[in-house]
Amino acid sequence: METISENACFGGTQGVYSHTSASCNCDMTFGLFLPEEAQDGPVPLLWFLSGLTCTHENAMIKAGAQSWAAEHGIALVFPDTSPRGEGVADDDAYDLGQGAGFYVNATQAPWSSHFKMWDYVTEELPNLLEQNFALDMKRQAITGHSMGGHGALTIAMSLPGRFRSVSAFAPISHPTASDWGRKQLSAYLGDDQSTWAPHDSTLLMREKGFDGPMLVDTGTKDQFIDLLQPEALAEAVNTRRQQAVLRLQPGYDHSYFFIATFMEEHIAFHADALYA
């Protein structure tokens, strides 16, 4: 693992690191904020999974998360959204290829040789973090935005017991029934739609749910709201009687201004679960 940068940040340290990934068969970069408390021992960890076109850097710089994480003594990890580099498959469209990993393990060419983001986020990067930093991996929570909200919800529901809480900002909630999902899932996983279902939070909510608190915010002026389908997730939550707070925020769009506005509430929500 290589240290790219480390900066003092709200009493703690905001670092950026790179490493050779066995899952993605390329070098991967991630950001990690460690609060001051990490100097004295392991601290809880909150994952932030970013959306389409983003790298590790977008949320790290724009979300305003570090100040609130420092207040609660919580570490933040910002993984990249896909493999990158020479020889990594890409597409001219912004919603497929580099920057658009969709947090799945691709099985179809040309994506299958690098696009193993599920394994990277759920296995490889957690192991790397545990081995190298003062983190309490028994106290984890997860959140994300858009494509990353999709990833946060599907990962949390698929790995019972791993995360104490889950939240999302404007998640892609029903990708198997949306143009933001059908295109990518068919490209990465093939035409057998049974392989898509484990990556659809609405379907997972109907089947499994999440054993813990859930918080989801979506803006009423989100320019992609028809693709996100928050109503599908809400219906599944109601049918399952899942513990959840689903909010439509009047006037907010899909931008990082929206994320930054509600980040304090999301981190406080996770802090309640992580320190319970």
Side-chain angles (χ1 to χ4, degrees):
M1 189 179 69
E2 176 185 354
T3 299
I4 296 176
S5 62
E6 289 183 334
N7 298 94
C9 182
F10 294 102
T13 302
Q14 176 61 62
V16 178
Y17 309 92
S18 69
H19 67 105
T20 299
S21 167
S23 300
C24 295
N25 193 26
C26 65
D27 288 344
M28 296 292 287
T29 302
F30 65 93
L32 178 67
F33 170 74
L34 290 173
E36 185 176 10
E37 289 84 348
Q39 298 176 19
D40 300 320
V43 295
L45 177 64
L46 174 61
W47 293 75
F48 188 100
L49 304 185
S50 292
L52 288 168
T53 75
C54 290
T55 69
H56 68 282
E57 194 171 46
N58 297 73
M60 188 179 79
I61 293 175
K62 296 180 180 180
Q66 292 90 339
S67 63
W68 307 118
E71 183 174 309
H72 293 284
I74 294 171
L76 299 168
V77 61
F78 305 96
D80 202 347
T81 55
S82 79
R84 300 179 191 273
E86 185 177 352
V88 176
D90 201 7
D91 190 272
D92 291 338
Y94 74 95
D95 58 355
L96 186 67
Q98 295 187 34
F102 264 77
Y103 305 100
V104 303
N105 284 340
T107 59
Q108 306 299 303
W111 314 106
S112 55
S113 58
H114 294 94
F115 282 71
K116 304 291 186 183
M117 287 302 294
W118 182 277
D119 283 352
Y120 178 71
V121 169
T122 65
E123 296 181 15
E124 184 175 10
L125 186 54
N127 290 335
L128 184 74
L129 294 172
E130 185 172 26
Q131 292 166 11
N132 289 278
F133 301 98
L135 299 170
D136 182 354
M137 303 303 282
K138 294 182 179 179
R139 289 188 293 164
Q140 296 186 69
I142 191 167
T143 187
H145 172 233
S146 192
M147 177 185 73
H150 138 82
L153 292 171
T154 57
I155 289 171
M157 284 188 275
S158 297
L159 300 175
R162 172 79 64 92
F163 301 100
R164 295 194 179 186
S165 52
V166 61
S167 74
F169 299 86
I172 301 172
S173 297
H174 197 13
T176 63
S178 167
D179 290 342
W180 258 5
R182 295 185 65 85
K183 171 185 175 181
Q184 294 82 2
L185 294 175
S186 62
Y188 293 141
L189 302 177
D191 295 331
D192 180 359
Q193 296 189 22
S194 68
T195 65
W196 303 3
H199 302 287
D200 185 310
S201 58
T202 294
L203 300 182
L204 283 171
M205 178 57 65
R206 293 171 185 168
E207 179 187 354
K208 298 181 178 182
F210 177 70
D211 185 18
M214 175 183 293
L215 172 64
V216 179
D217 279 318
T218 305
T220 61
K221 293 293 182 67
D222 192 306
Q223 56 270 48
F224 306 112
I225 197 165
D226 290 339
L227 296 171
L228 303 176
Q229 298 193 35
E231 66 280 1
L233 179 61
E235 182 180 3
V237 164
N238 288 335
T239 299
R240 189 171 187 83
R241 298 174 181 171
Q242 166 74 41
Q243 176 188 0
V245 176
L246 309 180
R247 306 186 298 193
L248 291 175
Q249 300 291 359
Y252 286 90
D253 60 15
H254 202 69
S255 70
Y256 270 89
F257 297 111
F258 156 65
I259 298 171
T261 300
F262 298 101
M263 181 57 73
E264 177 184 7
E265 292 182 53
H266 279 246
I267 291 183
F269 163 81
H270 289 295
D272 286 343
L274 289 169
Y275 285 104

